[in-house]
Amino acid sequence: MKKPNILAIDDEDSVRISLTETFSDIYNIIPASSDREAYEILGREDIDVVLLDLRLPLLDIGVKTFKEIHRKRPDLNIIIVTAVEAEGKEKLREYASEIFAYVVKPWNIEEIHKVINQALADREKGLSDEDAHYQLQGIYKKEIRKKKGTLSKQKTILAIDDELSTIQSLEMILENMGGYNLIKAFDGNEGLNKYKEYKNKIDYVFVDYSMNGMNGLEFIEKFRELNNKIPVYLMTGLIPPDDFPKLVADKGGNNIIPKPFSIEIIKETLEI
């Protein structure tokens, strides 16, 4: 499966390294430390989305870089990453409708992940949201759509998260690994209903901690009233307090999965 190519333009080594390491299992991050390097990459690589820091290291260089990329590749969605949002918006006022999004530094991993996925989906114009989602991952609906009750005998994970980007990340990792089905739910109540629907087929449950409505711990408590054997893992992008693992265990959870997760973390969780 071909991963989307993300051109990340930033003159700070730490930022480029962080992006590359964080998203290596999901995207092909192609780093560039200068405007000149970015132009060279655009000339030889098939880029899907651009992340552009406006200070390279000067604001005017970043603005010039945006204008040049937009001139050469008006089809590309460009995400502006900056610590000077107001000043950047003023400098690029005439291009306001051409900028896909602004992400303010210091950025949050989940936020930038979500924006990249939105930019990728936006490229798939003319498709429904679901079609775009599967096409981005190189998966065709005819291969993965299954009627109720006809899931294969592979291991099956029920994943519950109100952030589509998290579900997409997990789906891509499992697709790369092979051997797993994914049942998706976007809140705790839907997760409980999905379990009741497929209870004889589910082998693992992954649930997000910070969901609207029923949070992850509340879900685990309710789920354990229905099943006390299936392993349940709590996903979180937060830095938990020292007593958090005990709290999760007391509710009936098996362990914590840090986000954003990698294929190594998922393999370790599933003991592959």
Side-chain angles (χ1 to χ4, degrees):
M1 180 179 63
K2 181 180 180 295
K3 292 185 286 189
N5 288 331
I6 311 299
L7 174 57
I9 311 166
D10 200 300
D11 63 329
E12 292 185 39
D13 292 343
S14 60
V15 172
R16 299 193 307 276
I17 292 170
S18 177
L19 286 169
T20 302
E21 292 182 348
T22 299
F23 297 115
S24 61
D25 291 317
I26 302 168
Y27 312 125
N28 181 29
I29 300 291
I30 304 175
S33 60
S34 67
D35 53 339
R36 182 171 298 180
E37 186 178 4
Y39 302 149
E40 291 175 355
I41 291 170
L42 278 171
R44 68 173 188 265
E45 300 285 351
D46 183 17
I47 300 299
D48 297 295
V49 169
V50 175
L51 291 174
L52 171 63
D53 177 37
L54 275 188
R55 286 186 167 173
L56 287 175
L58 301 176
L59 180 61
D60 286 345
I61 296 176
V63 170
K64 178 176 73 70
T65 303
F66 169 84
K67 292 179 179 179
E68 184 64 14
I69 292 175
H70 180 63
R71 183 185 68 81
K72 291 181 176 180
R73 291 288 307 276
D75 60 303
L76 282 177
N77 281 330
I78 302 175
I79 300 167
I80 300 294
V81 184
T82 180
V84 288
E85 182 181 12
E87 191 176 355
K89 285 184 175 179
E90 177 62 26
K91 290 273 189 179
L92 291 169
R93 182 172 49 186
E94 63 184 292
Y95 293 92
S97 63
E98 308 300 330
I99 297 169
F100 185 79
Y102 281 88
V103 175
V104 179
K105 283 185 173 182
W107 40 262
N108 173 281
I109 290 173
E110 291 189 5
E111 177 190 10
I112 205 161
H113 185 186
K114 180 178 180 179
V115 173
I116 290 172
N117 279 343
Q118 290 171 341
L120 288 168
D122 187 69
R123 278 177 62 82
E124 306 303 316
K125 292 179 181 178
L127 297 174
S128 68
D129 289 342
E130 185 181 14
D131 288 336
H133 168 55
Y134 288 123
Q135 181 167 327
L136 285 171
Q137 299 185 44
I139 306 168
Y140 293 94
K141 289 189 290 181
K142 66 180 181 181
E143 296 173 351
I144 66 169
R145 276 187 174 170
K146 299 178 175 69
K147 295 181 180 179
K148 177 181 175 181
T150 62
L151 291 172
S152 77
K153 293 182 180 180
Q154 296 174 311
K155 294 289 187 180
T156 297
I157 297 171
L158 170 61
I160 307 136
D161 198 305
D162 57 0
E163 288 284 344
L164 176 61
S165 59
T166 299
I167 299 292
Q168 289 175 330
S169 297
L170 181 59
E171 192 165 32
M172 293 178 75
I173 288 172
L174 294 175
E175 174 69 13
N176 280 332
M177 289 168 53
Y180 290 89
N181 293 307
L182 185 66
I183 298 173
K184 296 169 279 189
F186 296 94
D187 62 53
N189 286 320
E190 185 183 6
L192 293 172
N193 290 333
K194 289 285 188 181
Y195 166 72
K196 293 172 184 177
E197 185 177 354
Y198 294 106
K199 61 183 178 181
N200 295 325
K201 302 182 182 297
I202 292 171
D203 299 288
Y204 306 93
V205 175
F206 290 6
V207 60
D208 183 50
Y209 172 56
S210 303
M211 293 188 295
N212 292 322
M214 185 190 306
N215 68 34
L217 290 176
E218 292 167 339
F219 171 87
I220 293 173
E221 197 168 23
K222 290 181 179 294
F223 181 80
R224 284 304 181 213
E225 295 174 4
L226 302 173
N227 185 295
N228 61 3
K229 293 182 179 179
I230 293 176
V232 181
Y233 299 94
L234 189 73
M235 304 181 290
T236 180
L238 304 174
I239 299 176
D242 292 340
D243 63 345
F244 195 65
K246 183 179 184 303
L247 179 60
V248 173
D250 288 345
K251 294 292 184 181
N254 291 75
N255 211 334
I256 299 168
I257 301 177
K259 294 195 298 184
F261 32 66
S262 65
I263 193 168
E264 287 77 17
I265 290 173
I266 299 302
K267 282 183 175 180
E268 182 179 339
T269 300
L270 300 174
E271 298 181 349
I272 297 174

